Amino acid sequence: MTPRDTARTASAAAALALILAGCSGAAEDPADGVPGQLRIGYQSIPNGDLVVKHNGWLEEALPDTEIVWNRFDSGGDVNTAFLAGELDIALAGSAPVTRGLSRPLDIDYQVPWIHDVIGDNEALAAVDGIDEVSDLEGRTVAVPFASTTHYHLIAALDEAGLGTDDVELLDLEPQDIQAAWQRGDLDAAFVWYPVLGQLYEQGARPLVTSGELAERGWVTADLAVVGTGFAEDHPDALATWVEQQDRAVSLLREDRESAVEAIAAELNLEPGEAALQVDQLVFLSAQEQASADYLGTGDDPGALAGYLRLTAEFLAEQGEIDTAPDTADFENALAPAGAEHAARP
């Protein structure tokens, strides 16, 4: 069995466990409308979501709800879990969320929160001797498909005058990228921390970072998505979830050391390494998110819808999705009510 087969087997086992959990009595809602269970999909990304998880803030804020945390390796896996009805709220990058809101997936979810704007924590790294993206022609490059780095890899190749057919492109999850890199099977990979940091330790060099691509108009972010049915049935629980995320952003800004310690513990890193990763992301408060630059308001959707539309246009041009939805479709997918509520004094 290959490492990829092993990973898929593990993912299938995790999905089965989620299905069984979803069938348990804990998932039934009490009469007062409080959710009996909240199934959260998180990723190993150094942002406020890990602060909330580590400190048990949701468990304290929703004492009558069973909080179930499930780790995913990529936004593509999150989309698969949503399609299977296994998640209520999860983190996914803006590119997989764009895919999820587009045909053929058409996932019925909304965006209530922006976990972070992606910077240099994602990068296209290459072995020594490859100095430019154009040097990747004919080389073996790995990336988790349907992720923000997949989107950015396509953009980076496009800028260099290359297409995906000009490289040997492998669909590998981050842990599989690390193993393949150690075997010497790869010339380059577009991936995020902590695996990106491990590649750097083994001599990899960054050709371009997501932060640099964002400056050239290819903006990506880690977004929260919530099932539309859950959002409609449990608006108070969703608002509470947003409040805890905003609380984490406040901790990151006002007591960075405590926030970094929580993130380091979740990622099994030394605080110094966790701090370096935290510094490569941009975190937004509820007040900032409930503005025209991001989520906007219920009456006036924000600029995030435009960024998702641009992503969709590019993905459609590359044949990654059937067609780009209208901007209005992305505006309808924004759910700023929680951020608006949390931003009130």
Side-chain angles (χ1 to χ4, degrees):
M1 180 178 288
T2 66
R4 184 67 175 167
D5 291 335
T6 301
R8 291 191 186 282
T9 300
S11 296
L16 177 60
L18 278 171
I19 292 170
L20 292 175
C23 293
S24 69
E28 297 178 2
D29 296 345
D32 60 4
V34 175
Q37 188 180 78
L38 174 54
R39 302 165 300 172
I40 301 173
Y42 75 100
Q43 296 189 47
S44 297
I45 296 173
N47 58 31
D49 208 25
L50 295 186
V51 175
V52 173
K53 178 180 181 294
H54 185 76
N55 290 327
W57 287 346
L58 272 175
E59 289 79 358
E60 294 175 2
L62 297 170
D64 296 323
T65 299
E66 178 189 9
I67 309 297
V68 181
W69 294 87
N70 295 283
R71 187 177 70 82
F72 289 83
D73 291 321
S74 69
D77 289 343
V78 167
N79 279 343
T80 299
F82 260 105
L83 286 169
E86 298 165 1
L87 287 172
D88 300 308
I89 298 175
L91 181 152
S94 50
V97 170
T98 299
R99 291 174 183 268
L101 293 170
S102 306
R103 291 195 301 269
L105 295 184
D106 279 329
I107 301 174
D108 191 15
Y109 58 30
Q110 304 172 353
V111 179
W113 185 253
I114 301 170
H115 285 292
D116 57 74
V117 177
I118 296 172
D120 294 342
N121 64 304
E122 295 185 355
L124 175 58
V127 298
D128 189 38
I130 296 178
D131 301 316
E132 305 287 342
V133 176
S134 57
D135 296 336
L136 292 176
E137 186 172 6
R139 301 298 190 107
T140 301
V141 183
V143 67
F145 281 14
S147 67
T148 51
T149 54
H150 188 195
Y151 166 62
H152 267 169
L153 173 62
I154 295 171
L157 291 173
D158 186 67
E159 286 186 345
L162 301 176
T164 54
D165 291 339
D166 295 314
V167 300
E168 183 181 349
L169 191 60
L170 301 181
D171 174 15
L172 296 179
E173 295 295 336
Q175 70 274 13
D176 297 325
I177 287 176
Q178 180 188 6
W181 194 278
Q182 289 177 330
R183 293 193 302 268
D185 294 344
L186 302 178
D187 297 305
F190 211 137
V191 70
W192 52 86
Y193 277 92
V195 169
L196 178 60
Q198 294 162 352
L199 300 189
Y200 287 158
E201 290 174 1
Q202 297 172 58
R205 301 174 53 204
L207 299 182
V208 64
T209 70
S210 289
E212 292 168 341
L213 288 167
E215 291 175 356
R216 299 202 285 270
W218 309 101
V219 178
T220 57
D222 289 313
L223 307 177
V225 283
V226 58
T228 299
F230 185 91
E232 292 175 348
D233 293 342
H234 307 293
D236 292 341
L238 178 58
T240 297
W241 181 90
V242 170
E243 288 173 354
Q244 302 313 309
Q245 294 292 333
D246 190 48
R247 179 182 177 187
V249 171
S250 295
L251 192 70
L252 280 160
R253 292 180 172 184
E254 298 168 9
D255 187 358
R256 183 173 175 276
E257 183 176 353
S258 295
V260 166
E261 287 178 357
I263 291 170
E266 288 293 322
L267 296 178
N268 195 27
L269 294 174
E270 292 297 323
E273 175 60 26
L276 290 175
Q277 296 187 27
V278 167
D279 288 344
Q280 294 168 344
L281 295 169
V282 177
F283 305 107
L284 305 168
S285 68
Q287 183 174 12
E288 290 165 333
Q289 297 201 30
S291 71
D293 292 334
Y294 298 102
L295 290 176
T297 66
D299 296 328
D300 189 12
L304 178 61
Y307 288 130
L308 296 178
R309 165 67 183 181
L310 288 174
T311 303
E313 289 177 346
F314 184 74
L315 294 176
E317 289 173 1
Q318 299 295 324
E320 299 293 326
I321 59 176
D322 290 351
T323 187
D326 293 335
T327 301
D329 293 324
F330 290 114
E331 290 177 343
N332 291 334
L334 301 185
E340 288 182 85
H341 175 76
R344 294 182 189 130

